[in-house]
Amino acid sequence: MENLLTIKDLSLADIKELLMITEKLKQEKDRELYLKGKSLGMIFAKSSTRTRVSFETGIYQLGGQGIFLSSQDIQLGRGESIADTAKVLSRYIDGVMIRTFDQHEVEKLATASSIPIINGLTDKYHPCQALADLFTIKEKKGKLNELKLAYVGDGNNMAHSLLLAATKVGMDIAVATPQDYAPQNEVVKIAKRFAQQNGSQVELLTDVKEAAKSADVIYTDVWASMGDEDEAEERKLKFADYQVNQEIMDLANEEVIFMHCLPAHRGEEVTADVIDSRQSVVFDQAENRLHLQKGVMVKLMA
């Protein structure tokens, strides 16, 4: 494991090791020597709360420093090639986290860099979030295999990453989306291959209630992701039947947990009574981004 670009590139052993490192780092108090003297460049073409604060705090807790690099503040935003930027940064720092729109930009950066590249989010994948979600589910349920995750809403970067993450660890996953908002076929094919290898199942549905039946985890995301704001009103109409409410939660297993990668729009994709209920683990999820990303940095940069 040289980079973290997408979960499809990770082996099951990689994932297990990351979760073990994360658990250790979450419990440890004396952790500041792991990345002492190391620097992480953080390129942001998309703004963020959780990604920026968790990476910047995480590298600090490990003894290193984070350098915030807005795409408008570096030459990448003024026409310098990704390859040239990658080669220069490789001479200065020890790793790069990039949060941007196009997955190909992340892959080009990794190809030209001699330092580890971490995908902090693209329009196609959100691997750090999905790995932190696996860690949270294991914390709450004690295992990952033989569970069912139901994802409800837009077939976006979260749906893609959860499809890959769940099937890599032997977890069943049902994805319920409106007809025109299903996950990309390319990603679904890869997830089904992983599912066959690891003894799990993938279901693509349009019926939320069917997806929620017997689920151990119900997960949703905003209906209009960053970059889709101009479609927000149209999506509200098309996604009106894809809200996670208590009726949907009641169809799942008795000990079901609710997850959301945040930020959440209460009253749209999830009702306030669900996200604020005892079944909700959304803030544990958010905290675990910090710990998982520390695990990723230790694995790649130590």
Side-chain angles (χ1 to χ4, degrees):
M1 180 178 168
E2 297 178 352
N3 303 292
L4 176 56
L5 309 182
T6 166
I7 290 172
K8 71 181 180 183
D9 299 330
L10 304 183
S11 67
L12 180 58
D14 288 331
I15 293 173
K16 286 181 176 179
E17 183 183 9
L18 277 174
L19 299 185
M20 285 176 57
I21 295 170
T22 300
E23 184 176 17
K24 183 172 184 247
L25 290 171
K26 186 172 181 177
Q27 294 172 353
E28 274 188 357
K29 300 300 180 188
D30 298 324
R31 57 205 169 195
E32 60 274 356
L33 297 180
Y34 283 100
L35 296 180
K36 186 176 181 180
K38 303 272 187 176
S39 297
L40 176 76
M42 304 183 300
I43 300 174
F44 283 87
K46 282 189 173 187
S47 59
S48 169
T49 299
R50 279 150 291 275
T51 300
R52 179 174 179 182
V53 176
S54 57
F55 268 107
E56 198 160 340
T57 302
I59 187 78
Y60 172 78
Q61 289 183 356
L62 294 167
Q65 67 169 342
I67 304 171
F68 176 74
L69 303 169
S70 163
S71 60
Q72 300 306 309
D73 296 334
I74 59 177
Q75 297 300 325
L76 190 62
R78 296 176 57 194
E80 183 173 51
S81 73
I82 291 173
D84 286 355
T85 299
K87 290 171 184 175
V88 170
L89 291 178
S90 295
R91 304 291 182 105
Y92 293 154
I93 55 181
D94 304 286
V96 171
M97 186 285 301
I98 179 169
R99 181 180 169 95
T100 189
F101 293 88
D102 191 344
Q103 178 70 18
H104 293 301
E105 289 184 7
V106 179
E107 292 167 3
K108 286 179 186 175
L109 194 66
T111 299
S113 294
S114 58
I115 55 175
I117 305 300
I118 301 168
N119 179 358
L121 174 141
T122 65
D123 286 347
K124 190 170 184 178
Y125 295 119
H126 198 352
C128 289
Q129 179 69 59
L131 289 167
D133 295 337
L134 291 183
F135 182 77
T136 304
I137 294 168
K138 192 165 187 289
E139 262 191 335
K140 302 299 179 183
K141 298 293 184 181
K143 63 179 182 179
L144 291 171
N145 62 327
E146 300 178 351
L147 297 175
K148 177 184 174 182
L149 186 154
Y151 175 88
V152 176
D154 187 21
N156 59 12
N157 50 10
M158 272 318 312
H160 291 161
S161 291
L162 289 170
L163 276 163
L164 299 176
T167 53
K168 274 276 184 177
V169 299
M171 187 188 303
D172 294 340
I173 182 167
V175 177
T177 67
Q179 193 73 47
D180 296 333
Y181 296 89
Q184 294 178 16
N185 287 333
E186 169 207 348
V187 179
V188 172
K189 286 179 183 177
I190 296 168
K192 285 184 174 179
R193 187 173 77 240
F194 292 157
Q196 190 172 25
Q197 293 168 353
N198 298 309
S200 57
Q201 294 184 337
V202 174
E203 291 182 281
L204 297 181
L205 306 164
T206 56
D207 187 333
V208 177
K209 292 181 178 179
E210 186 65 29
K213 284 180 184 175
S214 304
D216 300 287
V217 181
I218 293 182
Y219 198 121
T220 192
D221 191 7
V222 293
W223 292 339
S225 298
M226 196 177 299
D228 297 326
E229 290 87 352
D230 57 337
E231 302 175 17
E233 293 306 312
E234 178 187 352
R235 284 172 177 252
K236 282 182 185 179
L237 296 175
K238 293 185 175 180
F239 283 81
D241 294 331
Y242 290 81
Q243 183 186 75
V244 177
N245 51 41
Q246 197 56 53
E247 179 187 0
I248 299 301
M249 296 294 290
D250 289 343
L251 295 171
N253 285 339
E254 187 176 349
E255 299 299 319
V256 65
I257 58 175
F258 172 74
M259 302 183 80
H260 192 306
C261 53
L262 302 180
H265 296 161
R266 287 168 168 79
E268 292 186 15
E269 74 273 7
V270 60
T271 55
D273 61 326
V274 168
I275 197 170
D276 296 326
S277 72
R278 293 170 64 183
Q279 294 170 300
S280 174
V281 299
V282 298
F283 297 110
D284 293 327
Q285 259 182 286
E287 178 189 338
N288 284 335
R289 284 284 301 281
L290 169 66
H291 305 302
L292 185 283
Q293 287 158 189
K294 286 190 291 188
V296 170
M297 288 187 283
V298 167
K299 169 71 174 168
L300 295 178
M301 295 168 59

